[in-house]
Amino acid sequence: MWAACFGSAVALTWYLVRHKQFSALRVAVFTGLGGAFGFAFGNVLQVLGNVTDIKFNFWNVMEYSLGFLVGWAWLMARLLHGGRKAMQKNPN
């Protein structure tokens, strides 16, 4: 399964570079890094929650932290690199 994900990432990267879609590639890289960090951080929260024996659904804590960090990474990629160009465009 992970090999299929890696193959998809390589194919997407090749396609975006070939068609000179560097903004989309930048967003993909940012969100990929955000997902990697979010998965690791969420897993740490889940393990710490289970070790403390607090009766709470820490699986959902992991899912929400992953979603938050991926969303934050997407927002940062959009605002830092693409937002300025989009705001400067004249609609006329």
Side-chain angles (χ1 to χ4, degrees), residues 43-90:
N43 199 21
V44 167
L45 291 177
Q46 182 185 15
V47 169
L48 289 176
N50 288 333
V51 167
T52 59
D53 287 332
I54 298 172
K55 301 299 180 204
F56 193 73
N57 188 358
F58 281 98
W59 181 262
N60 284 354
V61 172
M62 183 182 79
E63 288 180 342
Y64 279 104
S65 64
L66 171 62
F68 174 78
L69 290 173
V70 169
W72 182 79
W74 177 84
L75 178 68
M76 290 296 107
R78 181 71 180 115
L79 291 178
L80 292 177
H81 298 287
R84 284 178 256 149
K85 289 180 184 177
M87 286 186 254
Q88 292 174 354
K89 286 185 180 178
N90 189 356

